[in-house]
Amino acid sequence: MGTTERTTRLKNRCRFKHVAGGEYVDAGVKAGVERARLITQSHKENIGEPNCVIRAKGLENILSNITVHIQDDELIVGANTEHPDYFPMYPELSYFATLDMVESQYCDHKDEMREITEYWKPYTIQTKGEKYFTPEEIGIMYSATTIQPPMFVTAFSSIVPTYESVLEDGLLKRIEEVEKNIANANASLRKSPWNAQENLHYLDKLDQWKAMVIAMKAVVGWAQRHARLAKIMAENFLTDAKRKEELLEISDICRNVPANPARGLRDAMQSKWFTYLLCHSIERYSSGYGQKEDKLLWPYFQKSVIEKSDQPMSREEAVELFECERLKVSEHGSTKGRQLREFFAGSNDLFILTLGGINPDGSDASNDCTNAILEATESIITTEPSISFRWNEIGNTETKQKVFNCIKKGFGFPSIKNDEMNTQQLIKYFNVPEEVARDWALVLCMSPGITGRRGTQKTRSEGGSDVYPAKVLEIALTDGFDEFFSNIQLGPKTGDGAEFKSFEDVWNALKLQLRFAIELGLRSKDVGRIMESTHLSCPFISSIDDGCVEKGMDANALAEVPNPWHNIIGGSVVVIDSMTAIKQLVFDEKKYTMAQLVEALRNNWEGKEEMRIDFWNAPKFGNDDAYADAVATKYYDLIADEWKRNTTYSGTYPLPLAQSVAGYIVNGPKTAATANGRHAGEALDDGGSSPYMGCDKNGPTAVLKSASKINASKYKGILLNQRLSTVLMNSDAGFDLWHAYMKTWHSLDIDHVQFNVISQEDMKAAQIEPEKYTDTLVRIAGYSAKFIDLARYSQDTIIARTEQDMASGS
Amino acid sequence: MATCKECKFVTPSPTGDPTTGICLVERIQLADTQQTNTAIKGKMVQKAMEACPKFEAGESWKDIKNLL
């Protein structure tokens, strides 16, 4: 429960919006219509204007007219919909995703929303994007088998907002700056003699700047609406003196920010929350909670909590404010297409904030704000936002102890990222200056991107999208045709696996199928990027980025600091273990033929149990087994090389990122039997270097040694899930054991690790009596979820993970 | 004749395409030697297809516990 009565009350009535199997768990969750209604009304009135101006006026209409509300006990105000039970809809994004919601049980305004959905159909980025692909390519992408459907149909995106510019400048100063740019451009256009080369580029820039001003003014007005509401409530409807005082303070805060620079921690938190709402869910939908929160808020924490010079508050009040933030995020409703809702089973969305690491000057970045955030996390117990901790050798032990405290309680987070490795990667691959690189935060679950006033990632078409390797291997054995799930040709014809004569034949087919999937996925992302910058301008997001303001460019179009990455989701270890088994049993020992194997897989091992057990018992990744680990190294080299062949929108090649979210669950039923002895329809592996469920039998150090054989510096991330003993973690020696484990992990240059600390008995008991385990959290992969919110199939995959004994010393 | 669209075992397609869906009716109980208990053999279907003998009426899966 919370550290105060307020946060306990807020938690008890929090409208969590967790999903399972794509459906909202809480029956009270509904689709809000106001955003969709208001943006449609504005679109009809402004057709013919430049896209950025249409979009700015759409935002203006939303912010001027959407219902604003302030709930009891709230210290942070503002929401993306007209009601706390609702999530918004985005008819301008994906026709299918909107239609799916409109026809669901969540939408009570079906007639109106059907009309809105049909109105938008020709304007959606889905319709705009589809025409650049053949029907066959659309069929492959939309089957979500070998690659993720493109963002123009999933409506999924991610962003790291440039919070710093809002908190430091305030919007009024930025409006002045943009207006100055407009004045200078107009003056240049009227200079004598006329010079087209020097001036015509201003035409588009003038539109962009005009749109930015409209957007920023609308945002200031929206914050003022909250200020007025708080004041009206305080002066007319409340008798409780304390709450009245709080509301008057909220009114003062909303009058000040984001129009002006933040004065103290309360201003900074409110300004950050408004900015979050705008960038992630009002101007458009984008997943994530990308921010280096302890760095971002540290100046204001110092002023309010330590120096008490502006908006003075006690440390306990700061912890309460961070608890309130976690509950605001938990209540926030996101709207994405069904595939992504299925991919975040048990959760609401991917909200991941980043803590720790080092400062631009190289000193330890963990501070008392870091500690307060972790204390709030430990007390309030919510799945969102998840936390990633940047583990640096110089990080202080006090903060690491607080990280441990959250982990040992079973939250599944903070997840740990190797700070030095990820900083160096930004410098080496993306030419980021070292002091900027040192301020990275995760964009989503696993991928670092820069933070700050400019150049942050603005859209998932820069980094994101998925390839599903287990399915790719399946069709590499069936001439590119999916016999199991979709019954369509998913890839090029690379031959019948039954006729492959050597391990290299199998490898080559895998490579060619991967190549096709990667290239189709990348092309769909870059086409989507053009659709976004042409038809989905984001003038507010642009207005708070110094680069966009300076260049007069839309945030979707500008790739000032390239950060391309591409997920390889759930199945990498299934591929590694399968290829290992094929190498050993078919080509080295010649115990079986490829024809026998392909036939057995086609028939889901039916009548071939002895053979399946042979394949199941072949060497497995995660046991420090040289034979299996050599295949892992070869596979990951292939992955890196195949992505490196391509050049994306931002001018360089993407780094692969191996992880799984709940893709390992969702894609299990789409994937036929595999040569690692897995049955058709069983779940896949839960991360990039997580051993297959139950296959890591040689202890935690063996897992780390196997993981360390993959050169992690060539990938944006490689996810490692580990399940640790609750007894040991909660023992007196728990921290020391874990700390020693972490030092080993760090010394082996591994990218990532995250932990489940929950016993088999507790999980099984929670399946029987879920009402007794309402606060039991588990790590899925990249995010955490309430165990009882998961479907049985998903729960079983967590139970099946090996519980490692850190004290075993092996 | 009933169609896949009306069957409670058919969930919507991953993209929300109203014409297709995913059939999750076929479940296999796994042997004790396996780490997990259940395998689900998914199948992409056209919602206009004639329903199979396992048809049970309903809009879609309502019991979240039986989803993924």
Side-chain angles (χ1 to χ4, degrees):
Chain A
M1 279 297 141
T3 55
T4 65
E5 287 180 13
R6 175 205 310 278
T7 51
T8 300
R9 284 195 300 271
L10 281 169
K11 185 177 176 188
N12 286 339
R13 64 131 180 78
C14 181
R15 283 88 154 175
F16 293 99
K17 294 183 178 64
H18 298 148
V19 290
E23 306 293 348
Y24 290 93
V25 175
D26 188 326
V29 177
K30 292 285 175 196
V33 294
E34 285 193 8
R35 185 195 177 281
R37 182 184 294 150
L38 292 165
I39 199 167
T40 306
Q41 187 184 67
S42 170
H43 191 264
K44 287 176 180 172
E45 288 166 5
N46 292 291
I47 285 269
E49 293 264 23
N51 180 260
C52 56
V53 175
I54 294 176
R55 295 275 300 158
K57 289 187 174 176
L59 180 66
E60 181 184 39
N61 202 38
I62 294 167
L63 298 179
S64 305
N65 295 293
I66 195 167
T67 303
V68 295
H69 46 86
I70 295 172
Q71 299 181 70
D72 288 349
D73 285 318
E74 281 192 324
L75 294 178
I76 306 165
V77 301
N80 57 353
T81 59
E82 60 270 35
H83 192 286
D85 281 338
Y86 294 179
F87 56 81
M89 286 192 278
Y90 305 86
E92 70 271 33
L93 292 174
S94 159
Y95 174 71
F96 278 173
T98 308
L99 195 61
D100 182 36
M101 276 301 179
V102 171
E103 298 303 333
S104 75
Q105 65 269 35
Y106 311 113
C107 183
D108 288 338
H109 299 261
K110 286 197 169 11
D111 288 344
E112 181 187 6
M113 277 308 301
R114 280 177 187 142
E115 196 182 323
I116 286 173
T117 308
E118 291 309 315
Y119 168 79
W120 278 99
K121 190 175 181 184
Y123 303 112
T124 59
I125 55 167
Q126 178 188 344
T127 306
K128 304 279 187 192
E130 280 178 346
K131 64 183 178 195
Y132 298 100
F133 297 89
T134 65
E136 291 75 22
E137 288 171 333
I138 291 286
I140 294 166
M141 295 191 291
Y142 286 13
S143 70
T145 46
T146 51
I147 64 171
Q148 184 172 42
M151 50 72 64
F152 55 72
V153 73
T154 61
F156 188 66
S157 188
S158 53
I159 183 175
V160 177
T162 45
Y163 291 110
E164 284 81 351
S165 62
V166 182
L167 269 59
E168 290 165 10
D169 296 353
L171 296 181
L172 295 180
K173 182 182 168 193
R174 297 189 71 80
I175 290 169
E176 271 179 35
E177 196 181 329
V178 175
E179 284 177 339
K180 216 178 286 173
N181 288 350
I182 293 172
N184 289 342
N186 276 323
S188 181
L189 279 163
R190 286 160 182 79
K191 267 198 312 201
S192 175
W194 167 246
N195 186 326
Q197 296 299 317
E198 283 180 11
N199 287 293
L200 284 179
H201 65 97
Y202 279 127
L203 298 187
D204 184 55
K205 289 177 180 175
L206 279 166
D207 291 335
Q208 296 288 348
W209 283 323
K210 180 182 168 190
M212 291 182 202
V213 171
I214 294 169
M216 283 191 281
K217 286 184 175 173
V219 170
V220 171
W222 176 61
Q224 300 298 325
R225 291 182 65 209
H226 287 83
R228 278 198 299 278
L229 177 61
K231 194 157 189 282
I232 290 166
M233 287 170 71
E235 290 177 348
N236 298 286
F237 298 104
L238 284 162
T239 50
D240 180 80
K242 189 168 182 301
R243 182 60 182 158
K244 198 169 173 173
E245 195 184 317
E246 283 173 1
L247 281 166
L248 289 173
E249 189 179 11
I250 288 168
S251 178
D252 171 66
I253 291 167
C254 294
R255 194 169 298 114
N256 188 55
V257 292
N260 299 296
R263 299 164 294 191
L265 188 60
R266 291 198 192 280
D267 270 5
M269 181 64 83
Q270 183 61 58
S271 192
K272 181 166 82 76
W273 180 250
F274 277 144
T275 307
Y276 165 78
L277 289 175
L278 291 155
C279 297
H280 281 268
S281 67
I282 297 181
E283 186 159 55
R284 74 171 289 188
Y285 162 70
S286 279
S287 184
Y289 205 56
Q291 55 189 281
K292 179 78 174 56
E293 189 172 39
D294 49 356
K295 161 87 182 333
L296 179 64
L297 296 182
W298 179 230
Y300 310 100
F301 187 92
Q302 284 177 292
K303 281 185 193 177
S304 296
V305 181
I306 299 172
E307 297 159 10
K308 303 201 188 295
S309 56
D310 282 292
Q311 298 181 321
M313 64 199 298
S314 68
R315 194 173 182 288
E316 291 72 25
E317 287 175 313
V319 171
E320 181 188 52
L321 191 62
F322 290 124
E323 289 180 337
C324 288
E325 180 192 18
R326 295 191 67 80
L327 293 167
K328 280 298 269 188
V329 173
S330 296
E331 196 163 79
H332 178 82
S334 293
T335 320
K336 51 205 165 286
R338 181 166 291 273
Q339 195 223 8
L340 277 301
R341 294 204 303 281
E342 291 177 349
F343 262 46
F344 307 150
S347 183
N348 177 346
D349 202 347
L350 297 180
F351 305 101
I352 294 103
L353 62 84
T354 302
L355 302 175
I358 55 171
N359 291 311
D361 65 5
S363 60
D364 181 13
S366 294
N367 51 45
D368 198 39
C369 184
T370 320
N371 294 344
I373 293 167
L374 288 167
E375 285 167 33
T377 304
E378 192 185 339
S379 55
I380 200 70
I381 311 183
T382 58
T383 54
E384 289 110 12
S386 182
I387 295 174
S388 176
F389 184 74
R390 290 170 43 180
W391 186 280
N392 192 295
E393 199 167 12
I394 69 162
N396 71 77
T397 308
E398 185 192 353
T399 301
K400 286 176 179 171
Q401 173 83 53
K402 290 185 186 301
V403 168
F404 169 80
N405 291 346
C406 291
I407 291 171
K408 82 168 176 183
K409 284 196 166 177
F411 299 170
F413 60 85
S415 68
I416 314 286
K417 281 283 271 186
N418 187 320
D419 193 40
E420 293 89 335
M421 176 186 289
N422 283 281
T423 305
Q424 281 306 311
Q425 189 181 66
L426 285 167
I427 297 167
K428 181 179 170 189
Y429 285 93
F430 303 118
N431 299 317
V432 178
E434 187 164 10
E435 66 276 13
V436 178
R438 284 173 170 171
D439 267 346
W440 63 266
L442 292 189
V443 179
L444 280 175
C445 314
M446 293 279 293
S447 175
I450 64 164
T451 62
R453 296 177 58 98
R454 64 192 297 162
T456 64
Q457 185 169 320
K458 301 299 189 310
T459 167
R460 188 170 162 86
S461 52
E462 175 68 29
S465 196
D466 313 337
V467 168
Y468 306 129
K471 189 71 185 180
V472 171
L473 175 59
E474 178 193 325
I475 61 164
L477 301 179
T478 56
D479 205 17
F481 188 81
D482 178 12
E483 301 170 359
F484 178 74
F485 174 75
S486 67
N487 214 29
I488 60 178
Q489 186 75 29
L490 290 177
K493 288 181 169 291
T494 50
D496 178 356
E499 292 168 16
F500 291 159
K501 300 295 179 216
S502 68
F503 184 65
E504 285 313 307
D505 284 351
V506 185
W507 196 265
N508 194 49
L510 172 66
K511 181 175 80 175
L512 294 176
Q513 293 296 346
L514 262 175
R515 184 172 291 176
F516 177 84
I518 290 167
E519 291 174 0
L520 182 58
L522 288 176
R523 180 154 54 95
S524 77
K525 268 203 311 194
D526 283 338
V527 168
R529 181 67 167 267
I530 299 296
M531 297 307 110
E532 287 176 309
S533 51
T534 312
H535 304 290
L536 200 70
S537 294
C538 290
F540 178 72
I541 292 169
S542 310
S543 76
I544 61 170
D545 181 287
D546 287 353
C548 294
V549 168
E550 184 185 305
K551 296 170 200 290
M553 283 181 75
D554 179 69
N556 291 311
L558 180 60
E560 197 169 53
V561 180
N563 194 36
W565 45 278
H566 204 116
N567 297 310
I568 184 142
I569 289 273
S572 285
V573 174
V574 165
V575 172
I576 290 164
D577 288 346
S578 296
M579 294 298 274
T580 302
I582 291 171
K583 187 172 190 298
Q584 183 183 62
L585 294 170
V586 178
F587 296 107
D588 289 357
E589 297 177 359
K590 301 188 191 313
K591 187 168 182 182
Y592 300 100
T593 65
M594 280 304 292
Q596 286 172 310
L597 175 63
V598 170
E599 184 66 12
L601 297 179
R602 186 170 278 135
N603 294 318
N604 194 19
W605 304 105
E606 212 169 292
K608 304 280 180 193
E609 184 60 10
E610 202 176 313
M611 180 182 178
R612 188 188 74 77
I613 295 292
D614 273 348
F615 280 81
W616 180 251
N617 289 334
K620 293 284 185 282
F621 177 78
N623 294 289
D624 194 22
D625 180 295
Y627 192 88
D629 294 352
V631 176
T633 307
K634 185 177 164 76
Y635 166 78
Y636 270 108
D637 285 346
L638 169 73
I639 294 292
D641 290 345
E642 283 302 313
W643 258 285
K644 201 171 178 177
R645 297 175 69 251
N646 302 282
T647 306
T648 63
Y649 179 92
S650 48
T652 184
Y653 59 90
L655 294 182
L657 193 167
Q659 59 146 336
S660 70
V661 286
Y664 79 99
I665 297 167
V666 177
N667 286 357
K670 295 179 181 178
T671 310
T674 42
N676 61 335
R678 175 188 152 276
H679 293 92
E682 272 194 90
L684 303 170
D685 55 278
D686 56 47
S689 60
S690 300
Y692 191 72
M693 295 172 290
C695 290
D696 41 343
K697 297 179 186 299
N698 290 344
T701 309
V703 174
L704 293 182
K705 284 186 176 169
S706 281
S708 72
K709 290 171 193 165
I710 302 164
N711 179 0
S713 70
K714 293 197 288 188
Y715 314 93
K716 261 288 191 184
I718 300 184
L719 185 146
L720 173 61
N721 264 324
Q722 286 284 269
R723 202 175 129 214
L724 301 179
S725 153
T726 46
V727 177
L728 273 175
M729 286 290 275
N730 285 286
S731 70
D732 291 344
F735 176 70
D736 291 339
L737 284 168
W738 177 77
H739 200 223
Y741 173 93
M742 287 308 303
K743 282 182 173 173
T744 304
W745 169 86
H746 191 259
S747 70
L748 289 169
D749 285 335
I750 300 171
D751 169 64
H752 168 274
V753 65
Q754 61 192 13
F755 304 98
N756 267 305
V757 182
I758 180 171
S759 72
Q760 198 118 333
E761 294 71 33
D762 279 350
M763 286 189 277
K764 287 187 172 170
Q767 287 183 322
I768 297 164
E769 294 182 293
E771 65 284 357
K772 291 186 180 170
Y773 294 84
T774 52
D775 266 345
T776 297
L777 312 185
V778 289
R779 193 68 175 173
I780 309 295
Y783 71 96
S784 294
K786 280 188 180 182
F787 186 75
I788 62 167
D789 284 349
L790 295 169
R792 181 59 71 104
Y793 183 83
S794 304
Q795 289 176 342
D796 287 346
T797 68
I798 312 289
I799 294 172
R801 292 177 189 172
T802 303
E803 182 178 293
Q804 300 287 8
D805 178 358
M806 289 185 300
S808 69
S810 54
Chain B
M1 198 66 193
T3 63
C4 288
K5 186 181 179 180
E6 298 155 306
C7 179
K8 78 171 188 180
F9 298 111
V10 173
T11 62
S13 85
T15 60
D17 177 352
T19 64
T20 63
I22 310 294
C23 173
L24 294 176
V25 68
E26 200 172 341
R27 285 162 191 244
I28 304 151
Q29 199 63 30
L30 299 176
D32 290 343
T33 51
Q34 292 306 106
Q35 293 294 315
T36 54
N37 305 318
T38 314
I40 301 175
K41 290 176 77 173
K43 200 81 195 165
M44 195 163 87
V45 294
Q46 296 298 313
K47 284 187 180 170
M49 278 162 51
E50 198 173 291
C52 70
K54 291 170 183 167
F55 173 81
E56 281 184 33
E59 284 173 20
S60 67
W61 282 68
K62 293 293 182 199
D63 187 350
I64 283 169
K65 293 250 167 293
N66 290 325
L67 290 165
L68 295 176

